[in-house]
């Protein structure tokens, strides 16, 4: 009960701080009023139309208040990641539209890692009992997989990020219960989600530069789409190579049955 109350207090305080940050905007000539911008646009987008509207508003606002937009974006991203709130893909796309493909990618990779580590720490302090109580079967299954791959734990964590057998938010919450070292956890998120972040950020960069359908068939856009396709293929090749040597990805019972057949 105390852990749940503590988590609710942290969540309420963070929500209130983000609310103030998104509504107490410095005035800018590109926006009618700070209050109108906060009420109408500066909120988490739920679809592509809202995302496009938000990116247009923030790109105009960024011309006069670049540091504030950067701080607002980072705060919103860390808020979603730390409290395991779905929808970070929209923020990755928004990063590409606001900051460009490479700065946006770097920013998303760092924020994803820091935010996931924040979720790890919150779960470690407040959420262990809650996670085990509400997801006992999932925790037990993941615990078994982690123990089977303890010798190659880092590669196993990379596999889970590149080809998630379990949602990323649940892995973030359950990691401290599974005794996953926080350093390995951090770098597995940083490296393992690069392809996913790259695809989302590049998509946002492409969408932000398209002014007509003709631009979709330009050489620059074609090269970006080719890069996205190549990055999407690389993880599969690497994991196929390493998983055969270092990872135990099948159920233990199936492994025992196969071994018994080989012996007979």
């Amino acid at each position: 009960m105390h852990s749940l109350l503590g988590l609710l207090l942290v969540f309420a305080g963070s929500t209130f701080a983000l609310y103030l940050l998104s509504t107490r905007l410095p005035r800018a000539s590109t926006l009618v009023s700070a209050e109108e911008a906060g009420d109408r646009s500066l909120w988490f987008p739920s679809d592509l139309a809202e995302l496009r509207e938000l990116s247009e508003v923030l790109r105009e606002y960024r011309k006069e208040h670049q540091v504030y937009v950067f701080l607002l974006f980072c705060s919103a991203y860390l808020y979603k990641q730390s409290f395991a709130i779905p929808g970070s893909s929209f923020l990755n796309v928004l990063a590409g539209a606001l900051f460009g493909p490479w700065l946006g990618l770097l920013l998303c990779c760092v924020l994803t890692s820091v935010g996931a580590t924040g979720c790890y720490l919150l779960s470690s302090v407040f959420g262990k009992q809650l996670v085990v109580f509400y997801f006992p079967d999932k925790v037990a299954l993941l615990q078994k997989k982690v123990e089977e791959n303890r010798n190659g734990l880092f590669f196993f964590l990379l596999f889970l990020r590149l080809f998630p057998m379990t949602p990323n938010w649940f892995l973030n919450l359950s990691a401290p219960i599974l005794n996953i070292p926080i350093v390995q956890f951090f770098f597995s998120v940083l490296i393992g989600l690069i392809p996913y972040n790259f695809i989302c950020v590049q998509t946002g960069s492409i969408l932000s530069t398209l002014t007509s359908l003709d631009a979709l068939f330009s050489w620059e856009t074609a090269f970006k789409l080719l890069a996205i396709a190549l990055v999407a293929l690389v993880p599969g090749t690497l994991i196929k190579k390493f998983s055969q040597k270092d990872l135990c990805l099948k159920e233990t019972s199936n492994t025992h049955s196969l071994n018994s057949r080989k012996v007979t």
Side-chain angles (χ1 to χ4, degrees), residues 125-181:
V125 176
F126 300 110
K128 283 186 176 181
Q129 295 179 351
L130 295 173
V131 174
V132 173
F133 179 78
Y134 286 105
F135 307 101
D137 295 335
K138 289 185 177 180
V139 172
L141 177 61
L142 195 55
Q143 178 74 62
K144 184 173 68 173
K145 291 298 180 183
V146 168
E147 293 304 323
E148 288 175 356
N149 293 278
R150 184 66 68 177
N151 293 332
L153 181 59
F154 186 72
F155 285 110
F156 180 66
L157 294 176
L158 284 181
F159 178 88
L160 292 181
R161 297 297 178 178
L162 293 168
F163 296 99
M165 298 165 58
T166 186
N168 282 321
W169 63 267
F170 182 74
L171 184 57
N172 296 342
L173 290 173
S174 60
I177 303 171
L178 307 176
N179 295 319
I180 295 175

Side-chain angles (χ1 to χ4, degrees), residues 27-74:
R27 292 193 174 275
S29 59
T30 54
L31 296 179
V32 177
S33 69
E35 183 178 357
E36 180 180 355
D39 291 340
R40 292 181 56 189
S41 300
L42 299 188
W43 199 246
F44 292 118
S46 58
D47 54 42
L48 289 178
E50 291 182 6
L51 178 64
R52 194 174 187 89
E53 179 186 357
L54 179 60
S55 66
E56 291 174 357
V57 171
L58 289 179
R59 273 187 290 172
E60 287 298 317
Y61 191 73
R62 184 168 173 259
K63 294 177 181 178
E64 298 183 32
H65 298 285
Q66 185 172 359
V67 175
Y68 197 90
V69 170
F70 180 83
L71 177 62
L72 181 62
F73 178 84
C74 292

